[in-house]
Amino acid sequence: MHKAFPDSINRLIKELSAMPGIGPRSAERITFHILQSPRENIIDLLNSIKEVKTSVRFCGVCSNLSDGGTCGICSDPARDRTRICVVEGPGGITAMERSGAYRGLYHVLLGALSPIDGVGPDELRIGGLLKRLSGEGVAEIILATDFTTGGETTAMYLKRALEPFNVTVTRLSRGVPVGGSLEYVDIATLQRAFEDRRKA
Ligand SMILES: [Zn+2]
């Protein structure tokens, strides 16, 4: 904390520092940027944050972000409906879409298994995934959870949970660095990890 600054500034720096990928130095730079920006720009930013928090919902089918109903991917008739790619968060969808390698559907778990943090299968959107397998004509489930301990544990759990279903289960190949979150994998690596995916 800087004794040199008013409390309101210190508070904002502290709030911003709590965001992912933003350290105290960046938080300070953003705070000064906000102070120097025209008032209208900041009001636009605040309104965008407010709108996101009030109007964005999870898609009832895949738990991707949507503006109320079914998300843009689930409602796109051009997507390949025989495949579902399972990701931990909406960031996984962004990563896969950026790679351009995949044209199927998604399922967002909204987390990864982590017994230490009290995150068990019931805390994730796993039931919804299993429900989709009865009736949608799904032939392949691609496990694209992160290559972290939580992501691997989740992939292993899903492989077992999917065994009773008549569906091929694959996992992205190990081109993705160990400990890596899908969101930070470069496009070429992710394309290769998808092309080289193997039976889980
Ligand atoms: Zn959806």
Side-chain angles (χ1 to χ4, degrees):
M1 285 290 113
H2 301 270
K3 288 224 165 62
F5 302 144
D7 284 349
S8 58
I9 297 285
N10 287 331
R11 219 161 28 235
L12 182 54
I13 294 173
K14 196 171 150 222
E15 299 276 353
L16 290 169
S17 314
M19 295 194 165
I22 299 182
R25 293 285 296 273
S26 306
E28 209 176 279
R29 282 175 57 202
I30 295 170
T31 300
F32 296 147
H33 173 77
I34 289 172
L35 278 170
Q36 283 162 6
S37 299
R39 203 183 148 79
E40 311 85 72
N41 294 12
I42 300 308
I43 288 173
D44 285 348
L45 172 65
L46 290 176
N47 284 337
S48 302
I49 293 174
K50 207 159 112 193
E51 201 184 325
V52 158
K53 284 305 284 181
T54 50
S55 69
V56 176
R57 299 275 177 275
F58 294 115
C59 169
V61 180
C62 74
S63 303
N64 181 21
L65 303 174
S66 80
D67 53 11
T70 309
C71 78
I73 289 176
C74 286
S75 52
D76 180 354
R79 307 290 304 203
D80 172 4
R81 288 175 184 274
T82 65
R83 286 173 176 168
I84 296 177
C85 178
V86 181
V87 292
E88 291 182 27
I93 295 187
T94 323
M96 288 298 291
E97 289 297 294
R98 231 185 356 242
S99 82
Y102 182 67
R103 291 293 302 158
L105 302 174
Y106 291 94
H107 195 83
V108 184
L109 297 171
L110 297 176
L113 292 176
S114 178
I116 299 169
D117 304 311
V119 183
D122 292 342
E123 275 68 48
L124 304 178
R125 306 278 173 115
I126 292 175
L129 173 65
L130 303 183
K131 220 178 280 168
R132 292 176 71 183
L133 297 179
S134 51
E136 277 191 46
V138 179
E140 182 184 1
I141 300 278
I142 300 134
L143 303 175
T145 49
D146 292 346
F147 286 89
T148 55
T149 311
E152 295 286 17
T153 309
T154 309
M156 250 157 13
Y157 177 89
L158 286 175
K159 180 187 176 277
R160 271 200 307 272
L162 291 165
E163 261 161 24
F165 296 87
N166 183 26
V167 64
T168 304
V169 182
T170 57
R171 174 85 169 120
L172 292 188
S173 85
R174 285 310 213 128
V176 178
V178 176
S181 166
L182 218 59
E183 294 169 53
Y184 304 115
V185 177
D186 66 89
I187 291 173
T189 306
L190 195 52
Q191 277 168 350
R192 215 171 322 118
F194 177 76
E195 297 306 334
D196 296 347
R197 70 190 183 279
R198 41 200 72 148
K199 249 183 139 165

